[in-house]
Amino acid sequence: MTQPLIRFQDVTKRYGHLTVLDNFCFDVTPGEKVTLIGPSGSGKSTVLRILMTLEPFQEGTLHLAGMSYHQDNGRGRFLASEAHLRQIRTHVGMVFQSFNLFPHMTVLRNVVEAPTRVLGLGRAEAECRGVDLLRMVGLSEKKDYYPSQLSGGQQQRVAIARALAMRPRVLLFDEPTSALDPQLVGEVLGVIRDLAHEHDLTMLLVTHEMRFAREVSDRVCFFDKGRICEQGKPEDIFSAPKEDRTKEFLGSIL
Ligand SMILES: Nc1ncnc2c1ncn2[C@@H]1O[C@H](COP(=O)(O)OP(=O)(O)OP(=O)(O)O)[C@@H](O)[C@H]1O
């Protein structure tokens, strides 16, 4: 059996008195494309933020690409050293709702900054790869522009190229189109769709775009109150959901 690339093992995450994940268990195999759907506040983004090591958790263990880190006896601090966390982070890229590009850097600089600083790539090599990645997202001709000169959809495509430049094993997307004008959503989803179909990258997506989730996912997980209430192939979840909560949720948005 294929070993999981990601394993949440009995992870509990609290914010004060609010328990967001309660003994959460979740495996993702290498190359799998998994979409998390569910009501607002059900804990989907928290899963991504924990994977990105942006959030400590109180109990359980996270395994990622053969490394792991643990709970801190309920205190919710990272037990791992900063160096260990950095090492885990190099395996994970994240694309946020709000692009988060460096406004004072050109598009190409945004893409090459982390590979040169963190991975130690030479500038020429990083730039060459950066231009290739910008070509892949359809933006090589904008390499010398600044983010403020781009549309939201273009900025998000740069953010995707920037995440890929670190050669992550896992790419996380947290509602990547929810900050975009409706007419710009399609171009970003198109880039992600191509990535999903053409690369063996492991991808986890939180999205409210159900048609898109159906097209790109190997597995769809319906989240409710910090647990996976139902999961399966997209055609099963969207066409024949079994759980009442899933039916209710899909009925309210489709
Ligand atoms: N920094 C924080 N401090 C306190 N509570 C938080 C914090 N971040 C998230 N929460 C709470 O944790 C719960 C889960 O949030 P999360 O963002 O993971 O939900 P979500 O399913 O991604 O929702 P949405 O679809 O609206 O983005 C929510 O009740 C939220 O209010």
Side-chain angles (χ1 to χ4, degrees):
M1 212 183 87
T2 318
Q3 286 294 315
L5 183 66
I6 298 166
R7 168 165 283 175
F8 281 76
Q9 192 179 347
D10 297 313
V11 168
T12 293
K13 166 71 188 172
R14 295 184 208 95
Y15 290 109
H17 294 299
L18 176 71
T19 301
V20 180
L21 301 176
D22 192 6
N23 283 304
F24 179 67
C25 295
F26 178 51
D27 281 3
V28 179
T29 54
E32 208 181 0
K33 324 297 181 215
V34 182
T35 305
L36 311 182
I37 62 168
S40 181
S42 55
K44 307 177 299 290
S45 298
T46 301
V47 168
L48 301 194
R49 292 173 57 77
I50 286 177
L51 261 175
M52 193 64 197
T53 71
L54 295 172
E55 292 285 354
F57 45 89
Q58 283 78 17
E59 288 164 40
T61 307
L62 176 68
H63 304 272
L64 176 69
M67 292 178 289
S68 48
Y69 70 100
H70 307 274
Q71 52 98 7
D72 185 15
N73 300 325
R75 278 175 293 179
R77 286 200 319 242
F78 289 116
L79 261 193
S81 66
E82 193 44 49
H84 186 57
L85 290 175
R86 256 202 313 274
Q87 208 186 351
I88 291 175
R89 269 176 215 140
T90 61
H91 290 296
V92 188
M94 188 152 170
V95 175
F96 299 87
Q97 280 178 34
S98 52
F99 333 135
N100 293 358
L101 298 178
F102 301 117
H104 59 290
M105 291 183 189
T106 64
V107 161
L108 183 59
R109 225 9 240 298
N110 263 281
V111 176
V112 303
E113 187 65 9
T116 48
R117 275 181 190 269
V118 182
L119 301 181
L121 282 194
R123 189 151 290 269
E125 186 188 351
E127 287 191 354
C128 188
R129 245 185 78 69
V131 171
D132 280 348
L133 287 168
L134 287 172
R135 190 172 302 119
M136 199 179 88
V137 299
L139 287 173
S140 52
E141 79 286 6
K142 304 278 189 200
K143 70 181 174 61
D144 298 321
Y145 284 50
Y146 284 88
S148 61
Q149 297 173 297
L150 303 182
S151 71
Q154 290 170 334
Q155 290 188 53
Q156 192 61 304
R157 281 147 62 198
V158 174
I160 293 170
R162 184 177 63 173
L164 288 169
M166 287 296 286
R167 302 180 193 206
R169 297 188 62 183
V170 181
L171 197 50
L172 311 175
F173 293 89
D174 192 4
E175 299 186 31
T177 58
S178 60
L180 297 176
D181 290 339
Q183 74 273 18
L184 301 177
V185 168
E187 66 187 59
V188 173
L189 295 185
V191 166
I192 302 173
R193 190 182 293 116
D194 290 349
L195 264 181
H197 291 156
E198 290 163 22
H199 291 261
D200 58 4
L201 197 61
T202 306
M203 288 167 59
L204 242 71
L205 302 104
V206 172
T207 183
H208 294 287
E209 301 278 346
M210 296 301 145
R211 207 177 74 187
F212 172 70
R214 197 179 185 129
E215 285 168 10
V216 300
S217 317
D218 298 315
R219 176 161 50 120
V220 174
C221 300
F222 173 67
F223 249 72
D224 192 33
K225 299 192 179 106
R227 63 186 192 92
I228 296 174
C229 186
E230 182 168 0
Q231 58 182 316
K233 292 201 175 84
E235 55 271 28
D236 294 335
I237 297 292
F238 290 116
S239 305
K242 291 193 179 64
E243 300 292 329
D244 288 345
R245 282 295 292 132
T246 322
K247 290 180 197 164
E248 204 180 302
F249 174 74
L250 292 174
S252 70
I253 57 158
L254 288 180

